[in-house]
Amino acid sequence: MNHFQAKDHRGIFRPSGAVSAGQAADLISAALDHARTCGLKEVLVSITALTGFESPGPAFRRWAVRRWSTAGTGLKVAMVARPEHICPEKTGLLVAAEEGLNAHICQSEGEAEAWLEGSPR
């Protein structure tokens, strides 16, 4: 899988390029599925190098996170996004919690790594 690295128990996915929001959701789903198939325990997903789409609305966020919760069953997922792509109401995180996905969103890989290292495995 392009842009995906595995290191110890963690997958790191840093896709780049111009995509639609739907394509971005597909890429993330595929990366989470790949990580789970490889037996990894956690994934850092950085979408900061993806362009071509506006910040999605609540309905899209709910749809995408439900897909990711299925693909990422049993994984801890830390997503890094540009500020304009982070929902102030944390819609995605609320849906993740409802769906049983242990997830976090932030603006830096350092914060994502700290969250992954500090949260229960």
Side-chain angles (χ1 to χ4, degrees), residues 9 19 21 26 36 45 48 54 62 65 75 77 84 93-94:
H9 60 277
V19 296
D26 290 345
R36 188 176 39 82
V45 176
T48 58
E54 298 293 322
R62 285 190 291 276
V65 173
L75 293 173
V77 180
E84 64 270 21
L93 291 181
L94 293 172

Side-chain angles (χ1 to χ4, degrees), residues 41-53:
K41 302 295 181 197
E42 54 192 45
V43 181
L44 186 155
V45 176
S46 177
I47 62 168
T48 58
L50 289 179
T51 61
F53 60 95

Side-chain angles (χ1 to χ4, degrees), residues 25-36:
D26 290 345
L27 289 170
I28 295 165
S29 291
L32 296 178
D33 186 56
H34 180 70
R36 188 176 39 82

